[in-house]
Amino acid sequence: MVKVLVADEVWIATALLHIKNPDRGDFAVREIVCQAEIEKIAGPEPIRPGVQIHAYLHCVANRPPNPGRYRMLTETSKGRRRLFKPGDPYHHLRTGKNAPNEKDIPKKYHELLDWYNHDYTGGANTEEVDPILSLRGMGKEIWAQEDADSYVSQLRAGWQ
């Protein structure tokens, strides 16, 4: 059996709630914890104590990272939780994991990832690209034949 991370367990429980209750936009932390307990996502043992704190704090994109950099859930104006969507308020303040990796969860939950990536997010790219980092390597062909030390020496030759 796959050793499921607590954050992934919270995400799975929340995704299951969304699918079971398509008319509801968000859920109380206790509902997420109860769903995780009912589903026994991490195995037959009692629910791990970290599930509640992850649903309340650690996995929430619009709360300060503490200590992880997860953004799997968004806290709504009612203090409830729903799965993170690209474009959520404050989404730009955090980077990090917003859904489990397929290899890290039991096979029976893989379809949840397809649902999330296609139906829930509307096919939006859930892994955001940093606009500054995306410039890396741009224009490198211009400088391909230039030796860096020679170029700097040439620039400094005109200094007085």
Side-chain angles (χ1 to χ4, degrees), residues 50-103:
V51 171
Q52 183 170 350
I53 191 65
H54 273 71
Y56 176 73
L57 180 64
H58 298 321
C59 291
V60 184
N62 47 345
R63 288 193 168 249
N66 182 4
R69 298 180 54 83
Y70 299 118
R71 56 181 189 164
M72 295 179 153
L73 307 177
T74 298
E75 181 176 33
T76 65
S77 60
K78 297 179 272 184
R80 298 160 63 91
R81 307 287 185 266
R82 67 174 173 77
L83 289 179
F84 173 85
K85 285 184 181 181
D88 275 350
Y90 309 108
H91 77 280
H92 62 284
L93 299 177
R94 301 254 316 258
T95 58
K97 184 176 176 179
N98 55 29
N101 295 316
E102 190 175 74
K103 66 179 178 45

Side-chain angles (χ1 to χ4, degrees), residues 17-77:
L17 286 169
H18 276 291
I19 289 172
K20 290 176 182 179
N21 303 282
D23 55 319
R24 293 187 50 203
D26 56 12
F27 306 93
V29 169
R30 65 177 160 66
E31 291 176 283
I32 296 168
V33 172
C34 286
Q35 182 64 43
E37 193 167 24
I38 290 166
E39 191 68 23
K40 302 258 185 238
I41 298 163
E45 300 84 27
I47 192 162
R48 297 177 283 183
V51 171
Q52 183 170 350
I53 191 65
H54 273 71
Y56 176 73
L57 180 64
H58 298 321
C59 291
V60 184
N62 47 345
R63 288 193 168 249
N66 182 4
R69 298 180 54 83
Y70 299 118
R71 56 181 189 164
M72 295 179 153
L73 307 177
T74 298
E75 181 176 33
T76 65
S77 60

Side-chain angles (χ1 to χ4, degrees), residues 4 24 27 60 81 83 105 113 119 121 132 141 144 153 155:
V4 179
R24 293 187 50 203
F27 306 93
V60 184
R81 307 287 185 266
L83 289 179
I105 62 174
L113 293 171
D119 298 338
T121 65
I132 300 299
E141 67 280 353
S153 295
L155 288 176

